[in-house]
Amino acid sequence: TQKPCYRLCKITGVKTSKEYQFPAYGDNKAITTNKWLCLKFGDASRYFKMIMVSDSRPDNEDVAQYLTQLKNRRGGASNILSKKQATSMRKKQDYLINNYVYTIEDIQKSIKSKKKIGNIAAEKTRISIAVQAAQTLLDDAVKAKEEAETNLVEAEAHEEETLKKEFDEASKHVEELEKELKERIEEQEKILKQESSRIKQLASNQKNLKWAEVNKRAKVANKQADVDAYKKQLAMEKSGEKTTDIFARRKAKPQILWNVGQKKEEENDTANEKNNNKTESEEGALQDEEAGNSGSSRDLRNGLKKKLSEQIVEMPVDEEPIPPLMGSNKKARTGRVRRGMSLSEYFERKATGTL
C-alpha cells in the first residue's frame, strides 16, 4: 500500500551515525543523540532513528503479523521468542537498569562521545598529524612482518621455532597498528563531519543571513554616496562655487616658505664648476707651452745634470754639542741635522766663488 505503518521488529544492533534530536517534552530540553537501531522484520533489516519507535505497546495484530513472518521462513520457527525467554530478558533488563555500576572505561567513553570540539582548525591539524604518524608506523610494521616471513621461509630447522615467534609478534603488532589507524581515521571523519555541520548551521542561520543582507545594502549605499559626493565636487569646481560644509576638505597647494642650505650649495657647485673649467684651460695652455720649449730645454737640463753629478760633493754636517743629562753619565742621543742647499743656490755660489 506504500503507506507508513508500525511493525513489530527485533533489535539486532546499534550503531553511531548522524545526530538527531528527540522532541522536547514539557519543560525539558530536547535531547540529542547519534544512536541508530538496526531493526529486523523477517529477512529484511535496516537502521532507524529511535524517534521513529512508537511509545505505545504492540497490539495482537502486530504480534500475529510478526509471528507469521517468522513461521513462513525456513527454520524461522526456532527464532520465535518464547514466554520464558521474554521473562528472562525482562529480568536482566530491569537488573541492569537498577543495579549497573559504570566502570572507568564506560565513563571515559561517555565523556569522549559527548565532548564537543571547540577549535576545529586545531583539531584538524592534530588529527591529520596523528593519522600520518599511525600510517608511518603501520608501514614500518608491515615491512618488518614481510622480513620476518621471508626469514621464516628461508630458515633452517633449528631456527624455525624462534623465527615463527618473531613472525607471530610482528603480525600481532600489525593488527594493533591497523586498529589504531582505523580509530584515528574515524576520529578524523568525525571532526570533518562536525566542521561541515557547523558550516551548514552558520550558512542556514537566519540571523546571520539577515546581518549579511544588512551589510550588503550598507556597502552599496556607501559606494553610491561616494559617487554622488564626487559628482557634486566636480560640479562645484566647474561652477566656481564654494562649499559651506565645515567638514569639507579644503584645497591646499604646497608652498615653500624657506630653503635650508639648498641655494648656498647650488652657488658653491656653480663656483666649483667654473674653477674646474679655468684650471683645465690653464693646464692645457701650460702643456702647449711646455711642448714648444721641450726641445731646447731638454738639452740644457741634461748638460746641467751631467756637470752636477761630476762636481757635487758631500755637504759638510755641523754637529752641536749635546749637554750631559743630570744624574746620568750617559749622553743623550740626538739625531744628526744635515744642512744642504738647493740646486739654484749651488750654481750661484759656484758662480761667485763662495762654494
Side-chain angles (χ1 to χ4, degrees):
T1 60
Q2 300 296 327
K3 292 182 180 180
C5 58
Y6 285 100
R7 289 285 184 267
L8 182 62
C9 303
K10 182 180 179 180
I11 300 174
T12 58
V14 181
K15 76 168 185 177
T16 301
S17 184
K18 188 177 179 180
E19 292 184 352
Y20 58 93
Q21 283 186 346
F22 285 94
Y25 179 75
D27 297 335
N28 299 324
K29 295 182 180 179
I31 299 174
T32 304
T33 183
N34 58 355
K35 304 299 181 183
W36 292 56
L37 299 178
C38 183
L39 305 180
K40 186 175 182 181
F41 181 77
D43 293 333
S45 60
R46 183 182 169 188
Y47 284 94
F48 292 90
K49 298 178 182 179
M50 288 189 286
I51 57 175
M52 299 182 68
V53 178
S54 175
D55 295 335
S56 60
R57 294 177 179 271
D59 53 16
N60 294 330
E61 185 180 354
D62 295 333
V63 176
Q65 194 172 12
Y66 177 72
L67 294 175
T68 303
Q69 286 289 333
L70 290 177
K71 289 177 181 179
N72 290 338
R73 292 172 57 245
R74 179 178 295 181
S78 60
N79 295 328
I80 296 176
L81 189 66
S82 64
K83 186 177 181 179
K84 185 177 180 180
Q85 290 175 341
T87 305
S88 177
M89 290 175 64
R90 181 61 182 269
K91 287 182 179 180
K92 288 180 180 179
Q93 182 180 355
D94 293 340
Y95 178 79
L96 289 174
I97 292 172
N98 298 322
N99 301 313
Y100 183 77
V101 178
Y102 285 94
T103 61
I104 297 176
E105 294 179 357
D106 294 335
I107 296 171
Q108 291 178 350
K109 188 176 180 180
S110 177
I111 293 172
K112 187 177 180 181
S113 61
K114 293 180 181 179
K115 182 181 178 182
K116 291 186 178 180
I117 300 173
N119 192 344
I120 292 182
E123 291 296 321
K124 281 177 63 178
T125 305
R126 180 191 63 80
I127 196 61
S128 62
I129 294 172
V131 169
Q132 187 177 1
Q135 184 66 48
T136 303
L137 292 175
L138 180 60
D139 295 340
D140 295 340
V142 169
K143 290 180 181 179
K145 180 183 176 181
E146 292 175 355
E147 291 178 359
E149 186 177 4
T150 304
N151 295 334
L152 180 62
V153 171
E154 298 176 355
E156 297 181 0
H158 63 280
E159 297 177 348
E160 187 174 355
E161 184 177 356
T162 305
L163 296 176
K164 184 69 169 57
K165 290 182 179 179
E166 292 180 358
F167 176 74
D168 294 340
E169 291 177 358
S171 302
K172 186 178 180 181
H173 187 51
V174 169
E175 292 177 359
E176 293 176 354
L177 292 177
E178 287 177 350
K179 184 179 179 181
E180 183 179 356
L181 178 60
K182 186 178 179 181
E183 292 177 355
R184 295 289 179 269
I185 293 174
E186 289 177 355
E187 187 178 358
Q188 188 178 30
E189 291 177 353
K190 182 180 177 182
I191 293 172
L192 294 176
K193 285 181 180 179
Q194 289 196 9
E195 182 185 19
S196 61
S197 176
R198 186 172 296 183
I199 291 172
K200 289 180 181 179
Q201 288 178 2
L202 293 174
S204 61
N205 191 351
Q206 294 298 324
K207 185 177 180 180
N208 294 337
L209 293 175
K210 289 179 181 179
W211 279 115
E213 187 65 24
V214 169
N215 292 333
K216 186 178 179 181
R217 290 199 302 266
K219 287 181 180 178
V220 174
N222 291 336
K223 187 176 180 181
Q224 187 62 35
D226 292 339
V227 173
D228 295 341
Y230 181 67
K231 289 180 180 179
K232 186 177 179 181
Q233 183 181 359
L234 290 178
M236 292 179 67
E237 288 179 356
K238 289 181 180 179
S239 62
E241 183 182 357
K242 294 184 179 181
T243 179
T244 58
D245 186 7
I246 60 173
F247 298 105
R249 179 175 292 180
R250 299 293 189 267
K251 282 190 175 182
K253 294 183 179 180
Q255 183 179 2
I256 299 174
L257 301 178
W258 66 81
N259 295 324
V260 182
Q262 186 176 359
K263 188 173 181 181
K264 194 172 182 179
E265 289 178 359
E266 290 178 356
E267 292 177 355
N268 293 335
D269 294 339
T270 306
N272 291 333
E273 289 179 0
K274 291 181 179 179
N275 293 333
N276 291 334
N277 294 333
K278 185 177 180 181
T279 305
E280 289 176 358
S281 61
E282 291 178 355
E283 289 179 355
L286 289 174
Q287 288 178 0
D288 294 338
E289 186 178 354
E290 288 179 358
N293 299 330
S294 60
S296 59
S297 61
R298 186 180 296 110
D299 297 336
L300 179 61
R301 285 199 301 272
N302 291 336
L304 292 175
K305 287 181 180 179
K306 186 176 181 181
K307 290 180 181 179
L308 180 62
S309 61
E310 292 176 354
Q311 297 177 5
I312 194 168
V313 293
E314 185 178 358
M315 297 293 108
V317 179
D318 297 336
E319 295 183 359
E320 295 180 356
I322 301 172
L325 298 176
M326 296 180 63
S328 175
N329 295 328
K330 294 183 179 181
K331 294 181 179 180
R333 294 183 180 180
T334 58
R336 293 190 302 168
V337 179
R338 294 182 178 273
R339 294 183 179 178
M341 64 180 67
S342 64
L343 186 61
S344 59
E345 185 180 357
Y346 169 76
F347 285 117
E348 289 177 0
R349 291 178 65 180
K350 183 179 179 182
T352 56
T354 59
L355 184 61

